[in-house]
Amino acid sequence: MKGHLSSPVLWLLLLTIQNIDGAEELRLVNGGSPCAGRVEVKHQDQWGTVCDDDWDMADAGVVCKQLGCGAAVSVHHNAHFGAGSGPIWLDEVACRGTESALWQCRNRGWGVHNCGHGEDAGVTCSGHIALQLVGGDTAYSGRVEVRHDTWATICDAHFDLKAASVICNGLQCGTALSIPGEAHFREGHGPIWTEEFQCVGNESHLFYCPRISHRNQTCSHANDASAICSRHTGFRLVNGSTACSVGVEIQVLGAWGTLCDSRWDLPDANVLCHQLNCGFAESAPGGGYFGRGTGSVWTDTFHCKGTETHLGHCPVTALGASQCSHDNDASVICSGRSESLRLLNGESWCDGRVEISLRGVWSRVLDDQWDMDDASMLCTQLQCGVAAKAFNPPKSEQGTGPVGLRSVHCAGNETRLTLCDNSTSETAQAGIAQDVGVVCSGSRQIRLVNGTGHCAGRVEIYYNGSWGTVCDDSWDLSDSNVICKQLRCGRAINATVSAHYGQGSGQIWLDDVNCSGNESDLWSCPSGGWGQHNCRHKEDAGVLCSEFTDLRLVSDNDCAGRLEVFYNGTWGSVCSNQMSGVTPAIVCKQLNCGDGGQIASDFAYGEGSGPTWMDHVVCSEHSSLWQCPSEPWDPKSCDNRAEETHISCTGKKAKPTQTLFVECPNSTSCTDHEKLRVVGGEDRCSGRVEVWYRGSWGTVCDDSWDMADANVVCKQLGCGSAVSALGEAAFGEGTGPIWVETLNCRGTESSLWDCPAKAWGESNCGHMEDAAVNCSGLTERTESPNTPVKASPSSHQGLHFPGAGSQRRSCPLLPPQLSQDNLSLLHFHFHPAPPRHPLTDSGRVTVPVVVCIILGALLCLVLIILGAQVRSARAQRRGSRRPLDPFSEAVYEEIVYNLMREKQAMFSRPGACLILRVVNLPSSDISTGTCCKLLVPLHLSSVPP
């Protein structure tokens, strides 16, 4: 009938309507980019997954084409990108490859399936751009790497904060805080990305940013770009009496909530006050001080030093944290926005260069006569205790911003720095150009280093502006308990001695510590006093605390096995209940076992025997296991052993490609030997002296630089003894900071860091005063320094000199008629070899060697002439004199020789020239052989009377 539709046309129209209204969107989830992940379709306003039955490359090709992601690279089954949730919309999809949308392919119909979410399908397309941050201090910082076919780094010249913001957001790491360049997190390997991302900053992924090719770039891995993300997407202060004295709220993935006060402390609060331009933290009250908040209570623990500029820069942990209610909301009371003070470039918020905020602008404080009265007032205002030190920072740490105050003179009774006599004029007293700094007593800190976490390692204390260690004399669990409590690391499991975590450097601040265990900090315990000790760094004390954590897979394979964590001194299992699908991949990546992994369902790695430490671990993309929320620590978290987690990783643990020395000096495991070098000489045992300190190489000033200092350097480098101690940039001027001056080594120290010196980093020298050293060479086994130089006991016909290896060389210096018995002591004149200098023409003999050869030849000539004259004189007197005893014809000067310690050190140097003074030697006893071996290296310590 006219105007009516036939049945086939009606069904086609209904199908079209269903396709238009029902399947509105397609996306890929949990793959790290819009072009890889679990396939999800939106139907009837609800997202759901696709079953992997009959899932192949033709189906994947339609998905990639529909999303504008190029061609399909691979298909994935068995919830490779994690199990989804909600309905399973499609099953047994069979595409020809020509369809424009996935739901146009033949399938069983919407919602018809026989699958579970363990069979969710996945796809990787050619347009997939994966992102990662590598080598950072946290999971939210590191070197930026992009993968299309292989991982590549990005040149820092083609990288900006907008691109970093997109990366941080794409990795669910909050906002971008900074983009340090110049391989801040060490140099990468492999290719360098040849395109520049021109992002606006609000894109959901780097894939959506326009790109410009830079194929002719001259970038190297020394210019690798990095990013530091916040993880938390927002911070704010609410419900307080003032804008800077309020409760703390943080935003994670768009959701605001309060912060639990269980681990909230003054260093954390101080960072937040600075971040929000509210001055410094006066206190960090808990217990819902400003009332109960609303929403979630985040249990994240911040581990701030107090010097960070943003809470996002602080390491964060969440695994095993106790549940918290709004009765325990954290708060902060800041000093306020008017006349705020801060200290920069220090190790805590109570030491460093002084800056003041006037009218909302941070400005420098300059004073050439800054003293303890001024510093004391400032420490009081900052609530940092009393002043321990007032100083002017070195040139390398001077500020560059506007000047707020000049020429500050405090009487001692002021409450604020601006109440002291000062000048705020930019033009007044323009000659005053030195920034001021202070070390307050509140800057004392303690840390554990060289362990794999912040709750285990060698004990180090920050005191009077420098880090130092603690001696292990009488070191026990009571002492260690104070440290663990002070660091919020639980209780002490072990008190280690004998530099168990490696030898430290610098000062040894405390010895004979004797804590009761109730003290709030280690320096409150009885001890021998600051800097008073009779120890060396081989006696450095260490601690293992109960909150120390570690991770492993237990089996005969490093990259597959039962997942265990170390806590409270014991290894225990992890339960798999409600574990998120990305957790295995995070574990594998953390263990350097590849980028992927899955939960093994056959429990092939056996049951554990220890505690089952945790359950309900819920990780997010690109975090480490320690940042994943979970149930609190409980040794009986699993109902039975069948709930233990077994993981199989896709990769194998790579063998280290770098030695510890190559990674040094950045690694905390480095020794003093690896933080010292000589540069610009002919070999590794001569050159300008440079030391690694505060993250960079710097030089040593030649003020009071002498042989004792040089000897310590040579010995520390394994280069024998010092030949010369040079100054005035003898091997060229260095660059960077001049870290130390006025060294006063005794010469017996094992490390330059053990020598008394002016405080490191406070040098006023220029690089024209860089110190240098010439060492004798590689340390090798030589004759004992106590071996006397004497005639051969067997023949009495020669002196023996230590030579190369174990050989001994003889020279017939003595006439045969002399014996050991009547030889008392020869008169020797020793002249040390001239110091080595840098070669000016590689491969040529050096000037000192030529000089020694010439002097030796001249000596032989003089002896021959002298012998001829003596022979002539004897012939003239032979008729008038009767023969004398043969021994009376050869008179050797006998001297009383007291060997001094300093001379002994000089004589022991290889390369010394020996000159023998001979008097009235019969000419018959003189020959050119007398001069042989005079230039052989000689080691002399003492000669028997």
Side-chain angles (χ1 to χ4, degrees):
M1 189 169 82
K2 188 175 181 180
H4 286 213
L5 295 176
S6 64
S7 295
V9 174
L10 182 60
W11 279 110
L12 180 61
L13 180 60
L14 289 173
L15 180 62
T16 303
I17 294 172
Q18 182 186 27
N19 286 342
I20 294 173
D21 295 339
E24 298 167 340
E25 296 180 48
L26 174 72
R27 69 183 182 186
L28 298 177
V29 179
N30 270 5
S33 87
C35 294
R38 181 177 63 248
V39 180
E40 292 192 354
V41 293
K42 189 176 184 181
H43 179 66
Q44 296 178 349
D45 292 326
Q46 188 174 7
W47 285 102
T49 62
V50 176
C51 183
D52 63 9
D53 291 348
D54 300 328
W55 187 250
D56 58 19
M57 289 292 288
D59 308 327
V62 172
V63 171
C64 293
K65 182 173 62 175
Q66 183 178 350
L67 292 173
C69 287
V73 174
S74 59
V75 296
H76 305 281
H77 302 82
N78 300 321
H80 177 81
F81 293 103
S85 59
I88 298 175
W89 281 128
L90 299 176
D91 188 15
E92 296 182 11
V93 176
C95 300
R96 295 187 304 275
T98 59
E99 296 85 352
S100 59
L102 184 66
W103 41 86
Q104 294 176 355
C105 302
R106 182 168 57 85
N107 61 79
R108 296 183 62 177
W110 292 106
V112 180
H113 65 87
N114 59 353
C115 308
H117 282 296
E119 302 171 78
D120 286 344
V123 173
T124 298
C125 306
S126 60
H128 168 59
I129 299 177
L131 303 169
Q132 66 178 9
L133 299 177
V134 180
D137 301 322
T138 70
Y140 308 102
S141 64
R143 182 177 61 253
V144 178
E145 293 191 356
V146 180
R147 184 177 69 181
H148 189 264
D149 296 319
T150 59
W151 286 108
T153 60
I154 296 179
C155 182
D156 56 9
H158 307 147
F159 190 68
D160 59 16
L161 201 60
K162 293 178 181 178
S165 296
V166 174
I167 290 174
C168 292
N169 180 59
L171 294 177
Q172 298 184 18
C173 290
T175 58
L177 300 175
S178 60
I179 49 170
E182 298 181 347
H184 180 79
F185 292 108
R186 297 192 296 274
E187 295 184 11
H189 305 281
I192 299 174
W193 193 262
T194 59
E195 294 177 319
E196 178 181 354
F197 294 96
Q198 294 189 320
C199 305
V200 176
N202 58 2
E203 296 87 349
S204 60
H205 192 274
L206 212 58
F207 172 79
Y208 298 115
C209 296
R211 287 175 264 175
I212 296 179
S213 177
H214 291 280
R215 294 192 177 277
N216 296 324
Q217 66 181 2
T218 58
C219 242
S220 70
H221 283 296
N223 304 104
D224 285 343
S226 302
I228 298 176
C229 309
S230 68
R231 179 181 182 266
H232 302 92
T233 54
F235 299 89
R236 67 186 183 189
L237 303 177
V238 296
N239 298 335
S241 55
T242 69
C244 292
S245 298
V246 287
V248 179
E249 286 195 355
I250 59 177
Q251 186 185 47
V252 179
L253 301 178
W256 286 100
T258 61
L259 183 66
C260 185
D261 66 359
S262 61
R263 300 295 180 90
W264 180 251
D265 61 10
L266 203 59
D268 304 333
N270 195 67
V271 173
L272 185 60
C273 290
H274 281 309
Q275 176 184 330
L276 299 177
N277 195 27
C278 280
F280 60 90
E282 295 182 349
S283 63
Y289 186 84
F290 291 105
R292 291 168 55 88
T294 58
S296 302
V297 180
W298 300 111
T299 58
D300 293 27
T301 299
F302 293 90
H303 302 278
C304 302
K305 292 194 306 180
T307 59
E308 297 85 353
T309 58
H310 194 285
L311 269 181
H313 288 179
C314 304
V316 180
T317 58
L319 192 73
S322 301
Q323 296 300 315
C324 208
S325 71
H326 285 296
D327 291 330
N328 302 102
D329 287 343
S331 304
V332 61
I333 298 177
C334 305
S335 61
R337 293 191 173 98
S338 62
E339 194 193 317
S340 295
L341 291 169
R342 68 181 181 186
L343 302 177
L344 302 179
N345 301 331
E347 289 291 325
S348 75
W349 72 96
C350 288
D351 71 301
R353 180 172 60 83
V354 181
E355 283 197 353
I356 186 169
S357 178
L358 298 175
R359 297 174 293 279
V361 179
W362 285 108
S363 307
R364 300 159 62 194
V365 177
L366 306 183
D367 191 346
D368 291 348
Q369 296 181 343
W370 180 253
D371 59 22
M372 288 294 288
D373 288 336
D374 309 327
S376 294
M377 199 290 312
L378 188 141
C379 290
T380 301
Q381 183 177 347
L382 288 174
Q383 298 186 9
C384 283
V386 298
K389 184 179 182 181
F391 66 95
N392 294 107
K395 294 178 181 178
S396 61
E397 295 181 13
Q398 297 280 327
T400 57
V403 177
L405 297 178
R406 292 179 186 268
S407 188
V408 179
H409 298 288
C410 300
N413 55 359
E414 299 87 352
T415 58
R416 297 197 312 273
L417 192 64
T418 50
L419 296 178
C420 300
D421 185 20
N422 68 83
S423 171
T424 58
S425 171
E426 282 281 353
T427 57
Q429 297 177 293
I432 299 175
Q434 283 193 301
D435 285 89
V436 302
V438 64
V439 177
C440 306
S441 61
S443 67
R444 295 174 193 167
Q445 292 185 78
I446 197 162
R447 68 183 181 186
L448 301 177
V449 299
N450 269 11
T452 56
H454 72 284
C455 290
R458 180 178 64 248
V459 181
E460 292 193 353
I461 297 176
Y462 186 72
Y463 173 73
N464 204 24
S466 63
W467 286 101
T469 62
V470 175
C471 183
D472 63 8
D473 291 348
S474 70
W475 187 251
D476 58 20
L477 279 175
S478 295
D479 310 323
S480 300
N481 262 322
V482 172
I483 293 176
C484 293
K485 181 174 59 175
Q486 189 174 348
L487 291 174
R488 301 180 301 172
C489 285
R491 59 184 178 84
I493 299 295
N494 191 15
T496 65
V497 297
S498 302
H500 177 80
Y501 289 100
Q503 295 186 26
S505 59
Q507 298 285 348
I508 298 176
W509 281 128
L510 295 179
D511 187 16
D512 295 319
V513 178
N514 186 23
C515 302
S516 66
N518 298 320
E519 295 85 355
S520 59
D521 44 56
L522 191 67
W523 39 86
S524 298
C525 302
S527 70
W530 291 106
Q532 303 300 311
H533 66 89
N534 58 353
C535 308
R536 301 182 67 180
H537 282 296
K538 64 182 179 181
E539 302 170 77
D540 286 341
V543 174
L544 173 66
C545 302
S546 61
E547 293 288 323
F548 168 75
T549 54
D550 205 354
L551 182 67
R552 71 181 183 184
L553 293 175
V554 181
S555 72
D556 56 359
N557 185 337
D558 288 339
C559 292
R562 185 178 64 255
L563 176 62
E564 289 192 351
V565 294
F566 186 86
Y567 176 73
N568 201 27
T570 307
W571 286 100
S573 303
V574 177
C575 313
S576 59
N577 296 313
Q578 298 182 12
M579 181 173 286
S580 58
V582 297
T583 303
I586 291 169
V587 169
C588 293
K589 188 174 181 180
Q590 193 170 337
L591 292 174
N592 297 318
C593 287
D595 294 333
Q598 59 185 4
I599 295 178
S601 57
D602 54 2
F603 303 103
Y605 304 111
E607 294 183 357
S609 57
T612 53
W613 275 128
M614 62 178 52
D615 198 3
H616 298 103
V617 179
V618 183
C619 292
S620 60
E621 187 75 15
H622 297 284
S623 66
S624 75
L625 188 69
W626 311 128
Q627 275 105 34
C628 300
S630 72
E631 294 292 323
W633 295 101
D634 183 351
K636 296 181 179 179
S637 293
C638 300
D639 293 332
N640 55 69
R641 293 289 175 179
E643 296 179 4
E644 291 178 326
T645 303
H646 296 245
I647 289 178
S648 176
C649 301
T650 57
K652 294 183 178 179
K653 187 165 290 188
K655 294 182 179 179
T657 57
Q658 293 178 314
T659 63
L660 181 63
F661 182 79
V662 175
E663 294 172 352
C664 287
N666 291 301
S667 171
T668 56
S669 302
C670 294
T671 63
D672 288 353
H673 170 80
E674 291 147 345
K675 295 181 180 179
L676 175 72
R677 68 183 183 186
V678 288
V679 179
E682 61 187 58
D683 52 36
R684 76 172 190 85
C685 291
S686 64
R688 180 177 63 254
V689 180
E690 294 191 354
V691 294
W692 178 267
Y693 182 64
R694 290 187 180 175
S696 64
W697 287 104
T699 60
V700 175
C701 181
D702 63 7
D703 290 356
S704 77
W705 180 253
D706 58 18
M707 286 295 289
D709 306 325
N711 261 319
V712 174
V713 170
C714 294
K715 179 168 56 176
Q716 187 175 339
L717 291 174
C719 287
S721 57
V723 174
S724 59
L726 308 173
E728 298 180 350
F731 286 90
E733 294 184 11
T735 58
I738 301 174
W739 282 130
V740 63
E741 67 170 292
T742 322
L743 278 163
N744 188 22
C745 303
R746 297 185 301 274
T748 58
E749 295 87 350
S750 60
S751 166
L752 200 66
W753 280 260
D754 295 335
C755 299
K758 183 178 178 180
W760 284 54
E762 297 186 14
S763 173
N764 291 314
C765 300
H767 281 296
M768 66 182 66
E769 302 171 81
D770 286 343
V773 67
N774 271 313
C775 305
S776 61
L778 296 179
T779 302
E780 56 187 1
R781 188 173 181 179
T782 62
E783 298 273 333
S784 168
N786 295 322
T787 304
V789 177
K790 60 183 180 181
S792 169
S794 57
S795 64
H796 313 300
Q797 292 183 353
L799 292 177
H800 289 278
F801 301 86
S806 60
Q807 298 176 348
R808 294 169 63 86
R809 302 178 183 178
S810 297
C811 182
L813 287 174
L814 304 180
Q817 58 265 54
L818 282 180
S819 68
Q820 176 74 19
D821 297 332
N822 53 32
L823 172 63
S824 176
L825 190 64
L826 300 180
H827 185 173
F828 293 95
H829 295 271
F830 288 88
H831 299 272
R836 297 188 302 167
H837 292 280
L839 286 173
T840 56
D841 192 0
S842 177
R844 295 185 180 181
V845 179
T846 58
V847 173
V849 174
V850 174
V851 172
C852 266
I853 293 173
I854 294 173
L855 290 177
L858 289 175
L859 176 62
C860 289
L861 181 61
V862 169
L863 289 175
I864 292 172
I865 295 173
L866 177 62
Q869 291 177 346
V870 171
R871 188 178 183 87
S872 176
R874 287 179 58 198
Q876 294 176 1
R877 296 196 302 271
R878 189 166 293 167
S880 60
R881 295 180 57 190
R882 63 183 180 87
L884 296 175
D885 186 276
F887 291 106
S888 66
E889 294 179 4
V891 180
Y892 290 80
E893 288 187 344
E894 182 173 346
I895 65 173
V896 178
Y897 188 91
N898 293 321
L899 189 61
M900 299 175 62
R901 182 177 181 182
E902 293 82 359
K903 298 298 182 184
Q904 178 181 2
M906 181 182 73
F907 293 153
S908 66
R909 295 181 195 137
C913 288
L914 169 65
I915 298 177
L916 176 64
R917 180 178 177 184
V918 184
V919 182
N920 292 336
L921 185 68
S923 59
S924 60
D925 297 324
I926 294 189
S927 68
T928 56
T930 308
C931 301
C932 76
K933 308 298 182 183
L934 285 179
L935 300 179
V936 173
L938 174 65
H939 295 276
L940 175 66
S941 60
S942 62
V943 179

